[in-house]
Amino acid sequence: MKPNKLLYVAFAVVAMAQLFVPGWMISTMADIAKTGNEFVFKVRHNRAGASLNGNYVWLSFEANKFKVADKKAWDNNQGVFVTFEKDNQGFARVQSVTKEKPVASRDWVKARAFLNNKDSSFLRLNFPFSNYYVPDVNTREAEKKFNETINDSTRTITLKINIRENQFLAGELMVDSMKYSEFVKKLEKK
Amino acid sequence: MIANYLNHYAMSILYDLHELVGANVITSETATQISDYYKRKQGSPQGEKSRQLLLFGILGALLVGIGLLFIVANQWEELPRSVKTACAFLLLIVPQLLCVYALYKKPDKIVWLESTALILFFAVCANISLVSQIYHINGDASSFIFTWMLLTVPLVYIMNSSTVSIGYFIGILSYSFAVRFDGNALLSDHLTWLLFLVPIPHYFRLIRSASDSPLTKLLHWVIPGVLTLNLGTVVTNFGELMPPVYFTLFGIFYFLGKGNYFRNRTPEQNGYLIIGTLGSIITLIVMSFKSSWEKVSSLPHPFETLSTAPEFIAFILLFALASGILYHEIRSRGLADLRIMEVAWVLFLLIFAMGFITTASVFLINLAVFLTGVMMIREGAGKNNLSTLNSGMIVITILLICRSFDIDLTYVVKGFLFVGVGIGFFIANWWMLKKTK
């Protein structure tokens, strides 16, 4: 028994959709790389700044703190819109945190805001690009070295992000002026 | 092994039939009817072979699928981005071609359709994950699962795939939970319930046309299991009011499990009955603790807030459904023919409502658990069913263990109670064995 021709058509439509979605993801990223504004985020140096969890590293940035005028206006774990600008050295910093979608700028992402336990006049912001995919760090020793290095305050660790209206493209993680992937290879050779 | 034993048992009966016909004990017509019955029950050797093929086909597809997911986690940083992207798409296109081959060349082979559809189900997941990793696209878990499920659920109908429907049910369950913790989800919390409806027409078709398929039997477990777990997503501010919601759902499962469709099926095939019964007993045992009632009686439940609470809305919907089924059962069988378990949810609701004003509910629930245990023992003894009898004993033992935590009895009294139940176990089992000999 041959199946109905409609089934083939339906399968073709589904297969196209299955191919279209990842293709659309890639083309969106290519578009953001062209039209989004590039920001360089400095990774914060402290034990809690970065932690390796499987293939993902949770990055905490210098720019993830924001002083608010009225601390009572904010709830813990609240969805917010964060607009970025560049500081004197060219690194990213938070220009504003709002509850409404910004209209004047395209350089914004949705983030989650948490009240700071130590100083409630500051909001701690979790950006959607904080969870960064990294290649495997193979050995326990290399992983230990990775943790030491990423928390070493003498090094500058940065991440380039292209941003356009909540869409973003993460670039290479840089340790000083070295690409992270090269840095890992160097670690594993040692 | 059990199947072999049954085969051997059936074969010996078929062998005896010749002797019985020869001795004029039964007519040859009766012998044919008996022989046909056992053949139907056993299934033909081809049927058994295709069942095994289906099982191993699905197992193979699962392994291939998991293998694909492991590739996602593999180290391949050496390759340029374009090669990695090509690999990611190849990983999707090959299973798609396999599905086309199965649809075109093997449209009647369930094994082909099921296993290729399942591989494609995992390949879509692997492809989206890979593209996300290659391009550092960060997204939330809820939109990832939603996209994955949306892109694969048509395979349930196009490939007639029950395994994909099972994967979809589990995927939507995890989506539903992810939505609860993610403010940016596409659908609001409660609309996710509608997503469970998508494979239901396929399920009904299976019930009508392939009720003996192992995958249909598995779906009889997956659907009530997934619905029970997903009920946890309606909990917001009135978690203490969830027991009646769960109990009503278990009541509905019990009705379904006792329906005509499941009448001649074994308990292993009847997930509705087992989940309904076990769920009811577990809810009763949880509510037999005094602490479970503290929030019910002490916290205010103003109707204005309560009437819009998801817990309350879920309860009203389930109550309406359960009442409808109960009304239908009463009309068709009469009130006298109803079993106590079929109206247990109504009794529970009455006791729960009493809990707002009096602490007598705790005592009544304890009594209900005890009576449930006694009823099971009686039923087991009546039907010579050792497992039902022992289940009843276990219910009473659990009740005793629970009460030994929160009732201030001396160790000696507690000791005597446990010894009493232990001796009860021995006597009941010894008596049953003696009765069956």
Side-chain angles (χ1 to χ4, degrees):
Chain A
M1 187 184 75
K2 289 281 169 208
N4 193 324
K5 270 186 187 169
L6 264 178
L7 271 188
Y8 294 121
V9 177
F11 186 82
V13 172
V14 172
M16 292 306 283
Q18 289 172 348
L19 291 165
F20 171 78
V21 169
W24 172 76
M25 283 160 69
I26 294 169
S27 80
T28 309
M29 287 301 119
D31 192 36
I32 295 168
K34 267 191 215 158
T35 59
N37 280 338
E38 187 182 279
F39 290 92
V40 180
F41 287 79
K42 262 175 113 173
V43 173
R44 186 187 294 276
H45 293 289
N46 58 40
R47 289 305 303 168
S51 56
L52 197 66
N53 178 17
N55 279 16
Y56 284 86
V57 60
W58 180 264
L59 299 170
S60 180
F61 302 101
E62 294 280 340
N64 79 340
K65 269 174 87 179
F66 187 70
K67 193 169 176 60
V68 283
D70 181 12
K71 53 189 177 187
K72 286 180 186 165
W74 302 91
D75 297 325
N76 200 26
N77 194 7
Q78 183 175 16
V80 291
F81 297 89
V82 182
T83 309
F84 298 100
E85 61 180 4
K86 287 174 187 169
D87 66 10
N88 300 336
Q89 293 171 296
F91 290 115
R93 77 170 171 208
V94 177
Q95 184 193 57
S96 64
V97 177
T98 54
K99 289 178 191 171
E100 276 83 43
K101 194 192 275 187
V103 279
S105 169
R106 296 163 72 208
D107 308 331
W108 58 270
V109 293
K110 277 187 194 171
R112 295 212 81 81
F114 296 87
L115 298 172
N116 195 316
N117 290 337
K118 287 178 191 160
D119 182 356
S120 60
S121 61
F122 277 97
L123 289 179
R124 185 169 56 79
L125 302 162
N126 272 8
F127 303 129
F129 43 79
S130 293
N131 210 21
Y132 185 82
Y133 175 76
V134 292
D136 278 346
V137 176
N138 277 330
T139 62
R140 193 173 285 270
E141 192 55 33
E143 190 174 324
K144 198 179 148 198
K145 277 185 189 160
F146 164 82
N147 277 323
E148 279 168 14
T149 318
I150 209 153
N151 289 307
D152 177 358
S153 58
T154 60
R155 291 179 187 274
T156 308
I157 301 162
T158 55
L159 179 64
K160 265 186 201 168
I161 307 276
N162 280 57
I163 295 175
R164 194 196 64 197
E165 292 178 333
N166 199 36
Q167 290 180 311
F168 55 89
L169 173 67
E172 278 274 358
L173 186 67
M174 305 291 284
V175 181
D176 294 330
S177 54
M178 193 185 288
K179 278 186 178 178
Y180 175 78
S181 45
E182 290 164 13
F183 174 73
V184 168
K185 270 183 223 157
K186 213 174 101 183
L187 271 186
E188 285 176 345
K189 276 180 197 163
K190 273 184 186 174
Chain B
M1 198 176 149
I2 292 169
N4 283 343
Y5 172 75
L6 287 175
N7 277 346
H8 177 74
Y9 177 69
M11 286 308 290
S12 93
I13 286 178
L14 293 176
Y15 181 78
D16 289 342
L17 286 179
H18 295 288
E19 193 184 321
L20 294 170
V21 172
N24 285 331
V25 177
I26 55 171
T27 63
S28 57
E29 261 179 31
T30 315
T32 319
Q33 281 170 351
I34 293 172
S35 141
D36 287 348
Y37 170 77
Y38 276 104
K39 274 179 190 161
R40 268 203 313 276
K41 200 172 176 182
Q42 264 183 285
S44 60
Q46 285 82 2
E48 181 61 32
K49 198 178 158 193
S50 68
R51 263 200 295 277
Q52 280 185 19
L53 265 175
L54 180 64
L55 179 72
F56 286 109
I58 290 166
L59 195 68
L62 257 179
L63 289 173
V64 171
I66 291 167
L68 291 182
L69 297 183
F70 269 117
I71 293 169
V72 171
N74 198 12
Q75 180 181 338
W76 63 343
E77 291 304 313
E78 306 295 319
L79 300 171
R81 187 175 265 192
S82 54
V83 177
K84 283 192 274 188
T85 311
C87 285
F89 277 91
L90 204 65
L91 212 63
L92 179 63
I93 292 167
V94 171
Q96 283 181 338
L97 292 176
L98 280 174
C99 283
V100 172
Y101 177 78
L103 266 181
Y104 187 67
K105 288 279 182 190
K106 314 270 182 189
D108 301 325
K109 304 278 184 205
I110 298 171
V111 185
W112 268 90
L113 295 173
E114 287 287 359
S115 43
T116 51
L118 193 60
I119 292 175
L120 183 54
F121 177 79
F122 283 110
V124 170
C125 168
N127 172 262
I128 298 174
S129 309
L130 280 174
V131 169
S132 303
Q133 282 181 7
I134 297 165
Y135 291 87
H136 290 292
I137 302 169
N138 280 20
D140 43 73
S142 63
S143 49
F144 167 71
I145 302 169
F146 186 67
T147 313
W148 177 20
M149 291 302 122
L150 219 60
L151 287 175
T152 49
V153 73
L155 300 176
V156 172
Y157 293 98
I158 297 171
M159 306 288 290
N160 198 15
S161 171
S162 303
T163 44
V164 172
S165 76
I166 291 169
Y168 174 82
F169 275 121
I170 296 167
I172 291 299
L173 175 69
S174 44
Y175 170 67
S176 195
F177 273 92
V179 164
R180 288 281 286 139
F181 302 106
D182 177 14
N184 302 324
L186 278 167
L187 291 178
S188 77
D189 292 13
H190 310 301
L191 279 177
T192 56
W193 284 97
L194 295 177
L195 295 173
F196 286 106
L197 294 176
V198 179
I200 293 297
H202 169 77
Y203 179 55
F204 285 147
R205 193 169 66 186
L206 285 180
I207 287 176
R208 280 197 305 273
S209 61
S211 62
D212 283 330
S213 156
L215 292 171
T216 314
K217 291 169 189 170
L218 190 58
L219 272 164
H220 295 326
W221 282 91
V222 170
I223 292 174
V226 157
L227 292 179
T228 305
L229 292 172
N230 201 49
L231 202 54
T233 60
V234 305
V235 181
T236 45
N237 298 321
F238 295 101
E240 71 276 10
L241 302 184
M242 283 307 283
V245 187
Y246 276 107
F247 212 94
T248 314
L249 179 73
F250 295 137
I252 294 170
F253 288 161
Y254 188 85
F255 274 126
L256 294 175
K258 277 285 171 188
N260 286 338
Y261 176 77
F262 288 104
R263 188 147 293 160
N264 295 320
R265 292 178 190 276
T266 58
E268 296 84 47
Q269 299 173 18
N270 197 344
Y272 292 96
L273 186 72
I274 304 290
I275 292 177
T277 311
L278 268 182
S280 302
I281 291 171
I282 291 169
T283 314
L284 281 177
I285 287 171
V286 169
M287 294 312 287
S288 75
F289 284 94
K290 210 174 178 179
S291 55
S292 305
W293 294 86
E294 273 164 12
K295 279 187 176 174
V296 178
S297 53
S298 64
L299 289 181
H301 297 103
F303 188 73
E304 304 86 66
T305 344
L306 197 63
S307 59
T308 52
E311 294 93 330
F312 187 72
I313 295 167
F315 169 70
I316 293 295
L317 292 173
L318 289 170
F319 179 76
L321 186 59
S323 306
I325 300 174
L326 183 62
Y327 176 72
H328 176 261
E329 291 296 313
I330 292 173
R331 279 199 65 171
S332 60
R333 283 156 52 197
L335 197 60
D337 277 356
L338 284 183
R339 292 161 57 90
I340 186 83
M341 278 299 283
E342 286 168 314
V343 287
W345 62 276
V346 182
L347 298 175
F348 182 81
L349 292 184
L350 291 174
I351 296 173
F352 194 84
M354 280 172 66
F356 287 102
I357 43 170
T358 168
T359 52
S361 297
V362 189
F363 169 74
L364 290 174
I365 290 291
N366 277 281
L367 190 66
V369 179
F370 181 73
L371 290 176
T372 309
V374 172
M375 268 165 35
M376 287 169 91
I377 294 169
R378 267 193 62 183
E379 191 182 326
K383 290 182 178 171
N384 285 342
N385 189 331
L386 209 57
S387 54
T388 311
L389 183 135
N390 280 325
S391 304
M393 297 291 292
I394 288 169
V395 169
I396 291 177
T397 312
I398 291 172
L399 182 68
L400 186 64
I401 293 170
C402 293
R403 289 301 68 78
S404 70
F405 286 122
D406 58 7
I407 289 185
D408 197 17
L409 295 173
T410 62
Y411 281 108
V412 178
V413 176
K414 282 179 189 174
F416 272 115
L417 283 172
F418 277 99
V419 169
V421 174
I423 291 172
F425 256 109
F426 283 125
I427 293 176
N429 281 286
W430 170 77
W431 176 72
M432 275 289 282
L433 286 173
K434 202 178 150 196
K435 203 173 142 192
T436 47
K437 266 180 188 173

